[in-house]
Amino acid sequence: MNTDQSLRNRVFNEMLVWIEGNLDKPLSLDLLANRSGYTKWYLHRILKEYTGLSLGEYCKLRRLSRSAVLLMLTQTRIVDIANELCFTSTQAFSRAFKSQFSKTPNAFRLSDTWDIRGFCGPYHNMRELMPTPQILDLKSINVVGIGYELSCKVEEETKFDFSIRESLLERKTAKSTNNIIIGLVDYVSSGDKINYRIKYTAASLISENSANTKSESIINVSGGKYAKFEYVGSSEGMKDFIYKIYTAYLPAQHIIRRKGIDVEMYQRQSKKIKKSGMISLWYFIPIL
């Protein structure tokens, strides 16, 4: 990569990070230029080169996409979402939202599916190679597991790092003789105006050898169509991998997530693999 390309990449990444942190404020090329020290012309050219969009178009799509997440996972009032994300009125927000997602904000919130085909992720046109999933029809299964629940702000899942998974998975592995350990991820809308809940369960298939104690719960994982992704990499990179599936791959492939639980499937790993910090799993997302 030449020096000029490296500079453009750095400027682009810095610009998008700053935009993400300021979507609740009026933004302009003048403001961005004053903040960065680069000319308006240079910043406009880089954003257009990477995304094909002007600053105004890009910010509008990101605000609408953030509003979609707020509608799915919180009970923030629609008027407050419109105000928070700098729309001139609730009516203007509703028109723009319906144009992007083909549903009114209220209909989107009440839907049993996550139709994010109109979603624009923060790095949506950085064409990194995305894994191609298998589309499978799976039968319903019952599992027994140890659960944990935490509260997160939208798009700030810093609390939900791999250490939470690892602690529960190790406890479950110690109790189970099965070679396959299952992680269940359930994103739960709550009555909170800011936060939503993540329920994580480390589980195994119910069998005669399963240690079903009073501290564990029996959970039914519904059958149906799933997109199966494979991940091999660092534990730190797993969160980014899942984020890219939801913000880039599913929208690009026009896939609708149906009601259900995301399923992680791990095989027992050797001590050598665990020491290296690498993990290997299959990740299943329920889809229509």
Side-chain angles (χ1 to χ4, degrees), residues 26-280:
L27 298 177
S28 68
L29 278 173
D30 285 321
L31 186 63
L32 199 53
N34 290 335
R35 182 258 173 196
S36 67
Y38 296 101
T39 67
K40 292 191 296 181
W41 176 84
Y42 184 65
L43 294 174
H44 172 78
R45 189 185 74 174
I46 290 176
L47 190 62
K48 197 79 172 178
E49 175 186 335
Y50 280 94
T51 70
L53 301 169
S54 68
L55 177 65
E57 292 168 334
Y58 179 77
C59 288
K60 181 180 179 181
L61 286 177
R62 284 299 303 131
R63 286 174 174 135
L64 288 170
S65 297
R66 181 173 291 183
S67 74
V69 179
L70 287 167
L71 289 165
M72 285 188 293
L73 294 176
T74 75
Q75 292 302 312
T76 308
R77 295 189 309 163
I78 292 172
V79 63
D80 292 335
I81 293 175
N83 290 336
E84 178 184 335
L85 294 176
C86 298
F87 288 91
T88 56
S89 67
T90 306
Q91 292 76 18
F93 166 64
S94 295
R95 285 194 299 269
F97 190 91
K98 185 173 183 180
S99 176
Q100 187 66 20
F101 290 97
S102 303
K103 290 181 181 176
T104 66
N106 192 55
F108 187 88
R109 167 170 277 165
L110 296 175
S111 176
D112 283 338
T113 63
W114 289 8
D115 188 349
I116 53 175
R117 289 175 291 179
F119 198 94
C120 166
Y123 303 94
H124 71 295
N125 259 14
M126 295 193 74
R127 300 300 187 187
E128 298 179 16
L129 183 63
M130 287 297 295
T132 301
Q134 287 181 270
I135 306 300
L136 305 170
D137 281 304
L138 302 179
K139 294 181 179 180
S140 173
I141 59 171
N142 288 320
V143 299
V144 59
I146 307 164
Y148 180 83
E149 188 171 318
L150 69 157
S151 180
C152 289
K153 289 185 178 180
V154 168
E155 297 187 357
E156 292 182 4
E157 294 184 10
T158 52
K159 295 179 183 177
F160 189 42
D161 58 22
F162 193 78
S163 64
I164 292 174
R165 287 175 164 90
E166 188 173 39
S167 174
L168 292 175
L169 292 169
E170 286 183 350
R171 285 173 59 192
K172 185 59 192 175
T173 300
K175 289 186 174 188
S176 174
T177 59
N178 292 324
N179 287 327
I180 300 294
I181 301 297
I182 296 168
L184 305 177
V185 188
D186 195 4
Y187 299 95
V188 184
S189 176
S190 70
D192 197 309
K193 291 184 177 180
I194 300 174
N195 299 313
Y196 69 100
R197 292 178 292 127
I198 297 176
K199 296 172 71 174
Y200 188 80
T201 304
S204 62
L205 292 170
I206 294 177
S207 69
E208 291 180 1
N209 295 323
S210 295
N212 184 6
T213 69
K214 291 181 180 179
S215 63
E216 295 184 323
S217 303
I218 296 176
I219 300 169
N220 176 261
V221 180
S222 65
K225 188 178 290 187
Y226 284 82
K228 173 189 172 185
F229 296 86
E230 183 176 5
Y231 178 74
V232 179
S234 69
S235 57
E236 292 82 7
M238 182 179 169
K239 186 191 299 182
D240 190 49
F241 172 78
I242 296 169
Y243 183 73
K244 285 178 181 176
I245 289 174
Y246 271 101
T247 62
Y249 180 81
L250 296 184
Q253 298 299 315
H254 304 289
I255 292 175
I256 300 174
R257 186 191 187 278
R258 62 179 169 82
K259 189 175 182 180
I261 300 172
D262 286 5
V263 180
E264 304 166 351
M265 193 170 289
Y266 303 82
Q267 287 191 331
R268 287 179 180 268
Q269 297 177 335
S270 69
K271 291 182 179 180
K272 182 178 179 181
I273 293 174
K274 289 184 68 176
K275 191 174 181 180
S276 72
M278 300 293 283
I279 57 173
S280 174

